[in-house]
Amino acid sequence: MQDIETGADNKADLLDLNDLRIFTYVAALYSFSAAAEELGISKSSVSRSLVRLETLMGTQLLNRTTRKVKLTRAGNVLKDRGVEIMKRIGETIGYVGGLGLAPHGQLTICVAADAGLEEHIQQTVLPGFLERYDKVRIVLRFVTQKAELRAESVDVAVSSGPTHPLGSSRFVTMSRWLCASPAYLDRRGLITTPEDLDKHDIIAVDDHETHVTPGLGTLAALDFFQDPHPRLNTNDMAGARSLAIRGLGVVCLPEHLCKTGVQRGELVRLLPDLALRPLDLQVSYPSKRSAAPSVKAFAELLRASLISVSSLPASEDGGALQGPTAIAEP
């Protein structure tokens, strides 16, 4: 028995945690290619890592086929335990790193550009955060490529749309509003039914990430919007709002971009009973520092500020860090 325990201890000493991390991604995604893309490494690196891990374990963890990866019994056991191990390691690093300390040091924040949060973060969240925590330095990036949200140097990553990074969790769900300026409606006529939209100028926000037809991405599956011909098409949400305020058309944007304009009388909310697909925001912590004081403070402040302008109920999980759970096609 002692020899067996000694052998197990020796294997634990030889275990490369990066190999275990790579395995958990392959096991969750059932695909070498998908895991490589999520981790930002080559497929051959993933393969070599899995070979090392199987050699160390002395058993086969995966059954490889041409189309997908299947877990063996041992693989399923290691997947469940591996995810928990990696989660606890991340929590421990974050906790020890911030033990007894106020928020300080560099905080790297990466936000998907299609979340439309540039203005809200820069004008509403950051001024108060930086004033409160004067020892924190901010690196802020708004990105169009989802791969940039997964970089290990990123402390807080906020994503939107149906394609979220592995391990992200629900943060806030924002409603979308359909709006136009009073001057535009005076000139072109009121909009009282969804069918009226077909006769109006549309300011579409192009969605390159999900490849949704311009306009349809924010207006749900309305038949008359299947083939829209927008008068204007932009990938700048704040710019689209400004164009609508100038009276150039009808726009559909997240509530946090429209609410103040409606309250000021610059915009009119149209068809409030129309069911529009909400904006689902999720958060992840690629650097595994979710428990660090600066990370927690920023995430909590951002979430609270968004909830304060949202007409939808807050998510129940509060953006808690979760391990890899998603399943993707190989």
Side-chain angles (χ1 to χ4, degrees):
M1 178 65 72
Q2 186 175 3
D3 290 340
I4 293 175
E5 292 177 351
T6 301
D9 290 342
N10 290 339
K11 286 188 176 182
D13 292 339
L14 295 172
L15 175 64
D16 186 332
L17 289 176
N18 194 48
D19 289 343
L20 181 60
R21 176 170 175 262
I22 291 171
F23 168 77
T24 61
Y25 274 74
V26 173
L29 296 170
Y30 293 98
S31 167
F32 278 48
S33 299
E37 183 178 353
E38 281 285 333
L39 293 165
I41 60 178
S42 67
K43 186 177 177 181
S44 60
S45 295
V46 172
S47 181
R48 288 194 297 270
S49 179
L50 268 294
V51 169
R52 286 195 300 268
L53 191 59
E54 287 182 326
T55 301
L56 179 65
M57 295 293 175
T59 186
Q60 188 173 356
L61 302 172
L62 304 167
N63 288 319
R64 302 158 177 82
T65 67
T66 55
R67 287 198 52 79
K68 60 182 178 180
V69 172
K70 292 184 179 180
L71 297 178
T72 63
R73 182 180 178 184
N76 273 303
V77 171
L78 184 60
K79 173 190 173 184
D80 293 339
R81 297 192 178 190
V83 168
E84 183 65 22
I85 289 169
M86 298 310 298
K87 177 182 177 181
R88 292 196 178 280
I89 288 173
E91 290 173 346
T92 301
I93 292 172
Y95 177 76
V96 173
L99 194 61
L101 299 175
H104 73 290
Q106 180 169 298
L107 175 65
T108 302
I109 305 159
C110 195
V111 183
D114 57 9
L117 291 174
E118 290 96 330
E119 184 178 279
H120 185 80
I121 289 177
Q122 293 175 128
Q123 297 185 13
T124 302
V125 180
L126 279 186
F129 180 85
L130 291 173
E131 182 178 359
R132 186 180 306 176
Y133 304 113
D134 58 358
K135 296 186 183 302
V136 177
R137 304 185 309 276
I138 298 290
V139 175
L140 178 63
R141 300 282 184 267
F142 296 98
V143 302
T144 57
Q145 300 297 320
K146 292 293 172 100
E148 297 179 64
L149 296 166
R150 300 189 290 263
E152 293 187 358
S153 60
V154 175
D155 297 313
V156 181
V158 181
S159 62
S160 66
T163 309
H164 296 293
L166 188 67
S168 61
S169 57
R170 187 182 303 171
F171 192 52
V172 176
T173 298
M174 307 294 294
S175 64
R176 283 186 167 104
W177 287 10
L178 195 65
C179 297
S181 72
Y184 173 85
L185 296 173
D186 288 343
R187 188 174 73 252
R188 296 294 302 274
L190 297 178
I191 297 173
T192 58
T193 69
E195 287 71 25
D196 291 340
L197 289 169
D198 207 21
K199 299 175 289 188
H200 284 264
D201 294 335
I202 301 297
I203 302 172
V205 179
D206 202 359
D207 188 347
H208 294 293
E209 182 67 28
T210 55
H211 306 291
V212 174
T213 305
L216 181 61
T218 54
L219 286 172
L222 304 177
D223 291 341
F224 56 89
F225 253 78
Q226 289 290 343
D227 186 25
H229 299 284
R231 184 73 184 277
L232 287 165
N233 192 341
T234 178
N235 62 355
D236 179 1
M237 288 190 183
R241 182 195 56 194
S242 297
L243 293 170
I245 290 174
R246 294 289 299 272
L248 298 181
V250 179
V251 71
C252 185
L253 292 170
E255 180 179 3
H256 61 272
L257 280 170
C258 304
K259 195 167 189 176
T260 300
V262 171
Q263 291 171 340
R264 292 174 177 171
E266 299 170 332
L267 292 170
V268 176
R269 186 181 181 188
L270 309 171
L271 306 176
D273 295 329
L274 184 63
L276 303 178
R277 189 178 68 197
L279 177 68
D280 180 29
L281 297 177
Q282 299 219 10
V283 66
S284 59
Y285 307 94
S287 70
K288 307 301 182 185
R289 295 180 60 234
S290 63
S294 59
V295 175
K296 291 179 65 176
F298 178 82
E300 290 170 1
L301 182 61
L302 174 60
R303 184 170 184 268
S305 69
L306 289 172
I307 290 173
S308 70
V309 298
S310 175
S311 59
L312 296 178
S315 60
E316 295 180 357
D317 58 25
L321 180 65
Q322 297 176 351
T325 57
I327 302 296
E329 291 297 323

